[in-house]
Amino acid sequence: MRILFAASEALPYAKTGGLADVVEALPRALVKLGHEVAVFLPKYRGVKSTSVVMPSLTIPQGTRLRFPAITNGAVLRGVRYFFLEDPFYFDRDGIYGDKNREFPDNAERFTEFSRATIEMAKHIWTPDIFHCHDWQTAMVPALLRSSYADDPVVKDIPVVFTIHNIGYHGVFSPESLARAGIPQGLFHPGGIEFFGNANFLKGGLIYSDYLTTVSRKYAQEIQTPEFGFGLDGVIRSRASRLVGILNGVDYSAWSPERDTLIPAKFSAKNLEGKKVCKEKLAEEFHLLLDHPNRPVIGIVSRFADQKGFDLIAAIAPDLMHEDALLAVLGTGDRRYEELFRALAIDFPGRVGVKIAYDNALAHLVEAGSDMFLMPSRYEPCGLNQIYSLRYGTVPIVRATGGLDDTIEMFDLEHGTGSGFKFSEYSGDALLHVIRRALHYYSEEGIWKRIQMNGMAKDFSWNTSAAEYAKLYEAARAARNQSTVPASN
Ligand code: ADP
Ligand code: GLC
């Protein structure tokens, strides 16, 4: 099968979060299964292309035409990369916005990208299936089923749409639709209209053949008002076409045996190197490791409300009474940057904070910490807790979405489980579970057991990629059926 991925981020070119990891690793895994995969991305600042494929596409926007180019990227591990080159829109200091704000023309930028995805499929690389991701590519299905509904080349190509996070909608004023070149006919309550505005994600949910999200639990959760961000009704109406497929992990990048970014390698058989990583981590984060057994709790995260940092703020003073250190790496919401900066000032040597986006440091936190904290309010999948397992870094997570699906609560009686979970979204519940983890940490034999249980887990992409391949087939079959005239 030929599969065309369209996404706003993918490693090794552009990343703000887990989407980029997934759009790198899943295509590779599909290639291994024998499929042909191309990935289409905007050419952001700093991205290099090798040659021009089409020097000028014609993209209507309002009363104007735009003429971006399509350029070639490399072929990496069998995956072909193409870029949309439009410096006015994409050669900027940031992907979605700069330090101060979201870019005001995101509707135009990502509609152009979506339209170019379809044009690329027409003229350059015709796929059997489109696989789109999040609101930035949601206009692919919306335009395919409207403006392109009579196009003989693309009209029957099915779309699988993955929801990585239903909290991000891409909401724009009705006026921006015309500016972006989206047909007015889509602007109604059964289409992309949402409380008077245009909601791109809603378009993806309605016009795609199949929807997926990144864990089974999250597929259930987004059907409820608590987790649906106002779109739970739309999701429920499409429940028969929604599948939860857990993200995998690229162990060639994230395993302590092979990691080239950490000061010492280690494995389940020999954990010695982990101590070296811990010392280095303490040094980098200015943590007082006055005895080597003092546990370090690590955090690597976008600083966003989703991630549960208000709980950490609530329990920080109590947590500091425990014999534990905190190493935090992250950027994002200023409120949380200030929160962690303040904690580092109030508890010098106990809390170490780096306000940065730094992949090498992320690897060091994974490798050098004893525990990894993810108290998310909601979490579609979450990758860091899965990385942690492989590094013998025991996850402490809230039982939501992918965190609940990937982490099993440690059970002393049976010696089973890979981490610690709490359910109620409260500081007390979080503090309780952290204390429990710290208690077991002090018992070496038990702790080793929990580490080994986690290190033995396998969340590689093979199984999930095969599930996607099956779904692509189902989407093709469903679309073929729906094009058979009723009279036949
Ligand atoms: P989300 O996509 O919601 O941010 P995930 O857990 O799925 O959460 O993925 C986050 C990814 O981004 C991981 O690969 C993680 O290592 C990386 N990451 C997050 N924050 C940072 C940071 N400050 N520096 C380096 N990598 C980061
Ligand atoms: C989103 C989610 C995260 C998920 C990632 C990749 O950013 O917040 O939970 O792991 O997408 O699917």
Side-chain angles (χ1 to χ4, degrees), residues 9 16-23 133-134 162-166 168 213-215 218 245 247 302 306-307 374 376 378-386 402-403 461 468:
E9 345 181 339
T16 68
L19 170 64
D21 302 52
V22 172
V23 182
H133 301 262
D134 282 351
T162 298
I163 306 157
H164 292 266
N165 191 330
I166 207 166
Y168 296 85
T213 189
V214 289
S215 67
Y218 195 60
I245 302 179
N247 286 335
R302 282 186 298 120
Q306 169 196 349
K307 302 291 179 179
M374 263 175 107
S376 306
Y378 75 94
E379 195 61 70
C381 177
L383 295 171
N384 282 112
Q385 83 282 8
I386 313 182
L403 297 174
W461 266 104
Y468 275 109

Side-chain angles (χ1 to χ4, degrees), residues 228-263:
F229 281 88
L231 289 172
D232 45 294
V234 180
I235 296 280
R236 283 196 301 278
S237 75
R238 303 237 44 215
S240 65
R241 291 291 181 96
L242 169 69
V243 184
I245 302 179
L246 193 69
N247 286 335
V249 159
D250 178 2
Y251 287 120
S252 69
W254 291 98
S255 64
E257 292 94 338
R258 290 190 258 173
D259 198 327
T260 52
L261 297 170
I262 56 177

Side-chain angles (χ1 to χ4, degrees), residues 77-93:
R77 299 221 220 161
V79 180
R80 181 127 195 228
Y81 289 84
F82 294 102
F83 302 117
L84 174 68
E85 185 164 336
D86 184 341
F88 176 73
Y89 278 156
F90 298 110
D91 185 10
R92 296 185 182 178
D93 191 16

Side-chain angles (χ1 to χ4, degrees), residues 10 25 29 66 79 85 107 152 155 191 198 203 207 302 305 376 436 439 465:
R66 295 188 62 79
V79 180
E85 185 164 336
K155 71 179 171 49
Y207 296 107
R302 282 186 298 120
D305 287 337
S376 306
R436 201 147 157 208
H439 168 73

